[in-house]
Amino acid sequence: MESTERKILVVLPHPDDECFGLSGTLSKHIREGGYVTYACLTLGEMGRNMGVPPFANRVTLPRIRKEELELSCRTIGIQDLRLLGFHDKTIEFEDKELLDGKILELLQTLRPSLVYTFYPGFSVHPDHDACGAAVIRAVERLPEADRPVVHCMAFSRDHEQYIGKPDVAVDVKPFLKQKIASIQAHRSQFQVPELQGNKKQPTKEVEERFGTERFWTYRF
């Protein structure tokens, strides 16, 4: 996929939501001249992973996850990180007018041509689904001619049975260095054995597992 996108908005609920499914694609957009704003709804403060061995606790986790997100964004090259201040694990219960309004404000201010989020109903975690649903509601409030394209991530069991196969596949093998660094930035949350160490070149196994990112274009 050759990118022609210049203004890209990413809306995801947690620090680390960007790393596995989207970081390579964002690095590619940025390499090709894109400007990425990443709006992260929460600090993931209710997460139960504290590192191995543990180096975080319930008090320090929000700060640590914020720092990990900032490092991840730097490794990807993201130019604009916005922290929207919602509460982890409660997105589905947030005031919809407030949540949708914050996202709509970003859409109207930034006027992105492409938005990335989770596919509502097919993204496993309630916060993922609620975030995706809020993005779709906000985009629907724009005049049809002003709506950006929305690319969604999905990975629930049997999701292809309901939404079909992804219509966008991005070869991110040239951006595995950035993607691996993004994953490793979230060290309180993930320890991926095949990514440990300082290998100069990704192995074939790593390329096969992490080298393609897939998206569904949301049909309004």
Side-chain angles (χ1 to χ4, degrees):
M1 183 184 73
E2 193 66 27
S3 175
T4 57
E5 307 296 343
R6 289 296 178 265
K7 290 186 179 179
I8 297 152
L9 174 63
V10 179
V11 186
L12 299 171
H14 310 120
D16 76 31
D17 283 337
E18 78 288 350
C19 62
F20 284 103
L22 183 57
S23 58
T25 299
L26 294 177
S27 292
K28 185 173 189 290
H29 281 305
I30 291 163
R31 175 74 62 83
E32 294 169 353
Y35 187 91
V36 175
T37 295
Y38 178 4
C40 190
L41 299 187
T42 82
L43 289 179
E45 66 272 16
M46 295 301 290
R48 296 189 61 79
N49 294 339
M50 300 290 169
V52 178
F55 59 88
N57 57 48
R58 186 58 64 205
V59 173
T60 61
L61 190 63
R63 174 184 58 76
I64 288 172
R65 296 204 68 183
K66 176 175 178 286
E67 291 171 354
E68 290 174 347
L69 175 60
E70 290 169 343
L71 176 58
S72 172
C73 288
R74 287 196 297 275
T75 65
I76 296 168
I78 290 172
Q79 299 96 332
D80 182 17
L81 172 63
R82 312 281 181 102
L83 302 175
L84 298 197
F86 289 95
H87 299 291
D88 189 21
K89 293 193 175 180
T90 65
I91 299 302
E92 63 188 308
F93 306 114
E94 292 287 352
D95 181 308
K96 286 187 172 55
E97 193 59 33
L98 175 64
L99 177 60
D100 298 4
K102 291 279 188 183
I103 298 169
L104 181 61
E105 185 179 333
L106 288 171
L107 291 166
Q108 292 173 324
T109 303
L110 300 170
R111 299 179 66 82
S113 56
L114 178 60
V115 173
Y116 286 98
T117 190
F118 285 113
Y119 205 121
F122 300 99
S123 300
V124 179
H125 191 295
D127 278 357
H128 296 174
D129 288 332
C131 173
V135 170
I136 297 304
R137 290 193 302 269
V139 172
E140 285 177 332
R141 288 169 64 174
L142 295 172
E144 200 165 329
D146 294 339
R147 291 176 185 170
V149 172
V150 179
H151 284 175
C152 299
M153 295 182 283
F155 42 83
S156 64
R157 185 186 298 273
D158 300 331
H159 59 281
E160 289 190 0
Q161 178 179 338
Y162 300 97
I163 60 176
K165 292 189 177 301
D167 61 313
V168 177
V170 183
D171 179 2
V172 300
K173 286 191 280 296
F175 300 92
L176 279 177
K177 179 181 176 183
Q178 293 90 331
K179 180 167 184 165
I180 291 169
S182 170
I183 294 169
Q184 291 176 330
H186 296 287
R187 66 188 189 96
S188 72
Q189 303 301 300
F190 306 120
Q191 293 78 39
V192 183
E194 59 265 51
L195 301 184
Q196 300 302 311
N198 293 310
K199 301 180 181 68
K200 289 186 177 178
Q201 294 294 331
T203 64
K204 278 287 181 189
E205 290 76 14
V206 168
E207 286 189 347
E208 288 177 6
R209 180 177 175 187
F210 298 102
T212 304
E213 294 175 351
R214 299 173 175 85
F215 307 95
W216 285 254
T217 302
Y218 193 87
R219 310 297 178 188
F220 289 93

